Amino acid sequence: VRCLRDQVIGLTFGGGPSPNVPSAILFDLGVGGDSAPDAADGRAACEAASTDPVAEGNVGAGAGATVGKLFGTGAMKGGLGSAGYRFEDGTVVAALVAVNCRGDVRDPHTGRLIAGARDATGTGLRDAAATYLSGLPERPSPPSPNTTIGVVATNRTLDKTQCTRLAGVAHDGLARAIIPAHTRWDGDTIFFLATNKAEPVTEDPDWDRLDIAVAAAVADAIVSAVQAAEGLPGLPAARDLGRG
């Protein structure tokens, strides 16, 4: 907030600009130490902002992210991923997601499990959905630290109500790639923003395309996050199991 104020970014009031900075965090304590971001990290991130390609994997919010914690053991490394679509008329839809989920991650394009709860060998995946649908697992599923967070953006001109609806649509993409999604132990949060640099969305086909692209970008970003992740001791990544 202070960095944005210094750059005179934010709503203008009598006392100067008032930046509106919504936020969310991952519940990833216990992975890689007990460090937590502070004000200095926020300023450093603000100052490092650029138009360069976004780093993925074990970076930023993806550093301590894990997936596949439904059975209490055999989790894998999650990470930070991005994906997007650029159309001929200049419309852009892009997503950035930090994947730290309780469930498995599945590629919605192929149906293939990419990362999740590992089996007794440590090299295969249990398939949480199949396990539960065939009967309760042999041991209870204990609470675990989770939360997948992300942001979706478009360059089209939208108002707050329209952005709110699209934030909900974004969760469709989350549920396509994470199974199960939105459990009682997942604080899944997705923000939506519009830069308002391009034309407003007014026609139904335009809205349909935006709805499809928003959900697809989130799902693709989740897949990209686990494929880009690198394993840690006791937390192999998808690439370590030949699923990268």
Side-chain angles (χ1 to χ4, degrees):
V1 171
R2 290 175 180 171
C3 187
L4 292 174
R5 281 178 62 91
D6 291 345
Q7 299 179 55
V8 196
I9 296 175
L11 297 176
T12 302
F13 292 100
S18 178
N20 183 8
V21 184
S23 62
I25 60 171
L26 296 187
F27 197 143
D28 58 358
L29 299 177
V31 180
D34 61 355
S35 61
D38 56 21
D41 294 317
R43 176 175 284 277
C46 211
E47 293 174 346
S50 74
T51 57
D52 295 337
V54 178
E56 297 180 294
N58 297 21
V59 296
T66 53
V67 305
K69 292 162 277 187
L70 269 168
F71 304 108
T73 59
M76 292 179 63
K77 188 69 183 66
L80 184 72
S82 63
Y85 295 89
R86 183 185 298 274
F87 299 98
E88 292 182 357
D89 65 352
T91 296
V92 176
V93 176
L96 179 68
V97 185
V99 183
N100 186 59
C101 59
R102 192 163 182 248
D104 297 336
V105 175
R106 188 184 296 271
D107 185 340
H109 298 287
T110 64
R112 181 171 179 259
L113 277 176
I114 302 173
R118 288 175 289 143
D119 60 20
T121 69
T123 59
L125 300 182
R126 293 188 60 173
D127 192 333
T131 299
Y132 273 90
L133 291 175
S134 63
L136 289 175
E138 66 278 7
R139 56 181 179 273
S141 174
S144 55
N146 314 286
T147 289
T148 293
I149 61 175
V151 58
V152 185
T154 182
N155 61 342
R156 298 297 294 268
T157 296
L158 302 171
D159 61 30
K160 184 179 293 187
T161 299
Q162 292 167 330
C163 286
T164 298
R165 190 188 71 80
L166 287 169
V169 171
H171 280 272
D172 294 346
L174 190 153
R176 291 177 192 172
I178 297 175
I179 301 173
H182 309 129
T183 75
R184 293 186 307 128
W185 299 103
D186 285 283
D188 302 331
T189 303
I190 299 181
F191 299 100
F192 192 96
L193 63 90
T195 64
N196 290 1
K197 300 296 184 181
E199 293 297 315
V201 181
T202 57
E203 301 293 331
D204 283 340
D206 222 9
W207 276 116
D208 292 337
R209 180 182 64 177
L210 200 58
D211 289 343
I212 292 170
V214 165
V218 171
D220 291 346
I222 290 170
V223 171
S224 182
V226 294
Q227 288 180 331
E230 298 178 14
L232 297 175
L235 289 169
R239 63 177 67 183
D240 300 322
L241 272 60
R243 295 173 179 268

